Amino acid sequence: TLGIRFAANLTVYDVLLIWGAKENAAIFMGGQYYRFLTAMFLHGGLAHLFCNSFALYSLGREAARLYGTQRFVAIYLIAGIGGGLLSYSFNPNPSVGASGAIFGLIGALSAFFYTARNVLGGIARQQLGSLMFITLINLALGFTTAYIDNNAHIGGLLTGAVVGWLLAPGFVLDQRVYPPAVARVGLRIGWPATLALFVF
């Protein structure tokens, strides 16, 4: 998520503000809560859009394949809103970008591979290591760059991990048959709890 500074091109700033950038005063004073949603579809320039598009292409295909379309959409949107809420709480600057939602996909993928670690074994551990490395590199970059809204990244990551865990298509080894077979299970409260989290 790219923070918008007043020193930037005022025309770009004004347009993004009109279109729905996360702007704390407009949300708090004007009740414009829709900005938590619209901000994740706006970008501060072509480079910002390209970076997020590449990240979404890289992570989104795997997340959609593992979770399915409906779960993917739920994770993406709720994580994006979660990122916007943490940004609203700790970052007074306006911001735009999809990276809070993209970090949510990292959190969801991490939750999936963690819950499936007993079945997937080394594959799960390898994927978790790669996701942790990607997360640390990007958070470090965010802490050293003034225009990156790391609060949105962290909020999206945590929200995505929670929703991803709730909706994860879990796998267990069914020992009742020989040879043991992989059975697919899921949390019965997954969707109700996800809806409750969204409403909260």
Side-chain angles (χ1 to χ4, degrees):
T1 298
L2 187 67
I4 305 168
R5 301 286 181 171
F6 285 97
N9 186 307
L10 290 178
T11 302
V12 173
Y13 170 81
D14 289 340
V15 169
L16 290 175
L17 208 57
I18 291 170
W19 283 357
K22 187 226 78 176
E23 210 281 319
N24 288 13
I27 295 170
F28 181 73
M29 301 296 294
Q32 299 175 11
Y33 303 111
Y34 64 85
R35 292 179 180 272
F36 289 122
L37 181 66
T38 55
M40 75 177 79
F41 296 102
L42 300 173
H43 290 82
L46 289 178
H48 188 205
L49 177 62
F50 174 80
C51 289
N52 277 346
S53 297
F54 179 76
L56 180 58
Y57 177 76
S58 301
L59 297 165
R61 290 186 305 164
E62 184 72 0
R65 183 178 69 84
L66 293 173
Y67 280 93
T69 302
Q70 292 180 340
R71 289 178 172 85
F72 171 84
V73 171
I75 292 166
Y76 188 86
L77 292 178
I78 297 175
I81 293 172
L85 285 169
L86 201 68
S87 173
Y88 171 80
S89 300
F90 296 102
N91 178 21
N93 298 314
S95 63
V96 293
S99 51
I102 293 169
F103 265 80
L105 298 181
I106 296 176
L109 288 170
S110 299
F112 169 82
F113 286 113
Y114 180 79
T115 58
R117 67 193 183 281
N118 292 332
V119 174
L120 298 180
I123 296 174
R125 288 190 292 272
Q126 181 182 11
Q127 291 294 329
L128 284 170
S130 298
L131 291 166
M132 183 178 297
F133 178 76
I134 292 171
T135 301
L136 292 176
I137 290 295
N138 281 278
L139 288 178
L141 180 64
F143 283 121
T144 58
T145 306
Y147 293 101
I148 294 180
D149 187 356
N150 245 1
N151 294 291
H153 294 174
I154 295 170
L157 179 71
L158 296 176
T159 307
V162 172
V163 178
W165 176 74
L166 289 171
L167 298 181
F171 299 96
V172 296
L173 286 175
D174 188 353
Q175 304 285 355
R176 295 172 298 178
V177 297
Y178 184 83
V182 175
R184 180 168 176 160
V185 296
L187 291 176
R188 292 183 177 180
I189 64 166
W191 276 112
T194 298
L195 180 60
L197 179 64
F198 174 73
V199 172
F200 173 77

